[in-house]
Every structure is written in C-alpha cells, then in structure tokens.
Amino acid sequence: MPEVPAWADWNPAAAERPWTVGVEEEIMLLRPPRWAPANRIGAVLASLEAGLRDCTAAETHACVVELRTEPHATVGAMAGELLVLRAALRDALDALGLRAAAAGTHPLATRAEVSVAPDARYRRIDDTMRALARREPTMALHVHVAVPDAASAVRALDGLRGDLPILLALSANSPFWRATDSGFASIRAPLFAMFPRVGIPRAFGTYAAYVRVVDAMLRSDAIPDPSFLWWDARLQPRLGTVEVRVMDAASRVADVATLAAAVQCLVRRYAESVPVRAPEPEILAENRFLAARDGMRAMLIDGFALRPRPAAAVLGELLAACRPVAAALGCAAELGAANMLAADPGDQRQRRIAAREGVGEVPARLSGEFATTSVGLVAV
C-alpha cells in the first residue's frame, strides 16, 4: 500500500496481541438524594488516586466521566478489571457525596441541569455543535478489539455494518428522557444522531479508501483529528483497534461483558474472512432506527430477502455464527449470556422499575447496580 499519513500508521503492537479487548464506558455522576446530574467532573478527577485517574477522563458534559480498561486477552479478564474500576470509582465518589450509574441517558435530566466540561476539546465541541452539545447528556459503551493489520481491520469494519443494529437493540438501555417514557428502547441513539458524522459508516473496501476519506476531512479542516468522526464503528490506527460505539452504556458489568464478547467475536470473524456483502445503506439506516425504537422487540428488515424478521431471530443467527470464534477467544460463557440479556434487556428493566416505584426512583436503582455482580435490577 502507498505511504499513508502519520495519523493512519497502523500500530504494530496490535499484531503482537491480536483480538485483545478493552472498553470505554461513559458514566453518569449523580447527586443524591434527588439523583440529579452532578456537574463535578473537575472535582472528581482531582480527587482520584493516580491508578484510577489513569483510567478516567472527562467527557462532553461535566456530569459524565469516562472509565476505560486496559486491553485484555479475554472478556472475562476485562470484566474483572472493570468491576474493580467501578468499585474504586464508587468509593471515590462516596467521599464527595456523589454516586455513579450507567445507562444511555439520565432518566430525569433536563438541559438546564447540565453543563459542558471545561476541557479544550469539549469547549471546541460546544463552539461547533452549539445547542446540540448543550442538550441532556447521552452515554455509550465503546468496545475496542485489536486487529493485526489495517487490511484486516477494514474487512472487520465493513463486515460489522450489517450487525450494528442488532448490537444496538441488544444494548438498548435508555427508554426515559426528561422524566418521560420516550417510547424508544434507546432514545440515546436518535439524540446523539443530531451530531454530524454519526451513524453506520459507508463500506470502504480497502484501507486506502478509508484513509482517503478521513484525510480529506482533516485536510479540509472539517475536523481537527480523526476522533471527531463519531460513526457507530470506526478504526483507531494509533491503537490498532476496531472500535464499536453504537451501544448504550450498560448498567451491569455482566452486560458489558456480553456485549464486548459479541463485538470481539464479530471483529475476528470478519477480519479473518473474505469481504461480506451488507444490505443497502437505506436498509441499514432503517434497521438502526427500528433497533433504537423497539430494541429486542424490533422487527428488523432482512436486507436480502426483503422481509421483516424478529430481532431475536437475527440475534440467534449471529450467536450461532460466533460460537466457534467464541470458543477460540475464551468468551463462550459471556457470549451465551446474550440470550438472557435479550430476554430482559436494560430498557425493559428500567420500565419495570418506573411502573412499580415511579421514574424518579430509576437513577437510584441504576446506581445500586453500578459496582455489583448481581444480574437483575428488580425481581420479575
């Protein structure tokens, strides 16, 4: 391949530890007893001990903190680290009178209660996105999988396009917006879609094509660096990873593990296979909308048979195709747990709490799940 710009050099370390997996999750900062958003990111980061501080960062909103793991050979090891990090963050926040929770949206927040973080990056986002950056925060789960070379990474990225809607459906965990049931399983997805450079990326075919598109955005000053491309999945050459970003933040560590296992398996499966054909972009976009609206109750469009199919059936086919890969990666148990998550996804668990206790109780119950190994928010 011709010489690429410096930003596009594929990190050679990925070839030494291929298929390792790590996550970044966007976490709500809460202030009891009202459980309102706490715009305290500066105080929170300043209070953390060095080890935990190295695993955290600010996000667009001052009431959100990013928590990230190291890359791990197995999903189980990653989930173990994440549980430790969540517990450490919980304890640090407790000293400040704050709490943490994970979901795609804060169920109660209004625009007047939140502010943009003071970091230069987020001030730039505020300057360029304006009202779009000042709305209520949305929180996502990002999964990184190391891929040995750029050509394999593009095959994985292109292959993933058809599966992004079912990953969104499985992760859906944001039914409430401004204390009201939105009617969506993931209201985060359409809210975040107000930003530019979002959604399912085009098929690139080759790494040269990917570099050409991204470099055009950089050279034209449309974006300052590649991290301002907020597609549902993207390449991270400096890390040597494929990053899947379509999913809502997961309330429970066990659900993070399940979603990460699905992504790890899909990335390896597509990276090691011949290029696959995806449905037309319009079908993919429609499936993305249906997944956000209805979650695991969605009827997704089969892009080749051109008929609706239950999301559960689509997920079943995905899991069957991934089982051999999961066995090789050591994540069969976490992948198998996808059936349990699909049967009782985050959006339905939140609605169950609201029906029994009122929507005002949802943030507290989410916080109770933040650093535990329990498997349910509320008894069925």
Side-chain angles (χ1 to χ4, degrees), residues 48-136:
L48 301 180
E49 295 184 358
L52 181 57
R53 177 66 181 86
D54 292 341
C55 300
T56 60
E59 266 297 331
T60 302
H61 291 89
C63 56
V64 178
V65 62
E66 180 187 89
L67 196 61
R68 56 179 179 266
T69 71
E70 295 293 324
H72 291 272
T74 66
V75 169
M78 179 278 297
E81 184 197 3
L82 183 61
L83 189 59
V84 170
L85 291 175
R86 281 192 176 198
L89 180 62
R90 176 199 59 199
D91 294 345
L93 292 177
D94 187 60
L96 298 173
L98 304 177
R99 299 291 186 273
T105 57
H106 186 297
L108 312 177
T110 62
R111 175 175 170 176
E113 294 178 286
V114 301
S115 59
V116 175
D119 300 56
R121 171 184 173 88
Y122 302 115
R123 288 301 176 192
R124 176 164 186 152
I125 290 175
D126 186 30
D127 289 343
T128 56
M129 298 298 103
R130 302 175 189 180
L132 302 184
R134 298 165 201 151
R135 54 152 172 77
E136 299 81 7

Side-chain angles (χ1 to χ4, degrees), residues 38-354:
N39 297 296
R40 299 283 304 281
I41 185 61
V44 168
L45 295 179
S47 74
L48 301 180
E49 295 184 358
L52 181 57
R53 177 66 181 86
D54 292 341
C55 300
T56 60
E59 266 297 331
T60 302
H61 291 89
C63 56
V64 178
V65 62
E66 180 187 89
L67 196 61
R68 56 179 179 266
T69 71
E70 295 293 324
H72 291 272
T74 66
V75 169
M78 179 278 297
E81 184 197 3
L82 183 61
L83 189 59
V84 170
L85 291 175
R86 281 192 176 198
L89 180 62
R90 176 199 59 199
D91 294 345
L93 292 177
D94 187 60
L96 298 173
L98 304 177
R99 299 291 186 273
T105 57
H106 186 297
L108 312 177
T110 62
R111 175 175 170 176
E113 294 178 286
V114 301
S115 59
V116 175
D119 300 56
R121 171 184 173 88
Y122 302 115
R123 288 301 176 192
R124 176 164 186 152
I125 290 175
D126 186 30
D127 289 343
T128 56
M129 298 298 103
R130 302 175 189 180
L132 302 184
R134 298 165 201 151
R135 54 152 172 77
E136 299 81 7
T138 56
M139 283 73 66
L141 169 68
H142 302 162
V143 179
H144 288 260
V145 179
V147 179
D149 58 79
S152 299
V154 169
R155 284 197 299 274
L157 182 66
D158 286 352
L160 280 163
R161 295 172 66 243
D163 295 318
L164 292 171
I166 192 63
L167 291 174
L168 173 58
L170 185 62
S171 74
N173 190 29
S174 52
F176 297 107
W177 180 37
R178 299 177 180 172
T180 301
D181 193 322
S182 67
F184 276 69
S186 171
I187 191 62
R188 177 197 64 85
L191 287 175
F192 188 68
M194 291 190 289
F195 268 39
R197 306 179 296 278
V198 298
I200 297 174
R202 55 166 277 191
F204 291 97
T206 67
Y207 191 56
Y210 185 90
V211 172
R212 184 170 60 251
V213 168
V214 177
D215 209 49
M217 298 290 286
L218 294 168
R219 290 164 62 87
S220 65
D221 289 331
I223 56 174
D225 65 69
S227 71
F228 282 73
L229 296 169
W230 295 303
W231 296 324
D232 291 343
R234 66 186 182 187
L235 304 185
Q236 287 276 24
R238 66 182 180 85
L239 302 176
T241 65
V242 174
E243 179 189 7
V244 174
R245 307 163 41 84
V246 73
M247 298 167 291
D248 277 7
S251 301
R252 312 180 303 195
V253 170
D255 295 346
V256 174
T258 292
L259 296 165
V263 172
Q264 186 189 31
C265 290
L266 289 169
V267 168
R268 182 169 184 178
R269 177 171 177 250
Y270 290 126
E272 293 186 329
S273 68
V274 297
V276 299
R277 185 167 65 100
E280 296 295 338
E282 294 79 7
I283 297 293
L284 293 179
E286 186 67 15
N287 277 342
R288 187 183 190 276
F289 167 77
L290 295 170
R293 189 187 69 187
D294 299 328
M296 287 305 302
R297 301 173 300 284
M299 295 293 291
L300 302 177
I301 301 168
D302 184 317
F304 303 110
L306 302 181
R307 59 183 176 85
R309 299 186 62 217
V314 176
L315 178 65
E317 287 189 359
L318 182 152
L319 296 178
C322 285
R323 283 190 190 106
V325 186
L329 292 171
C331 64
E334 292 87 357
L335 183 72
N339 287 315
M340 291 188 294
L341 177 57
D344 193 27
D347 67 296
Q348 293 188 35
R349 299 196 308 265
Q350 288 196 44
R351 284 189 168 110
R352 202 156 59 236
I353 296 167

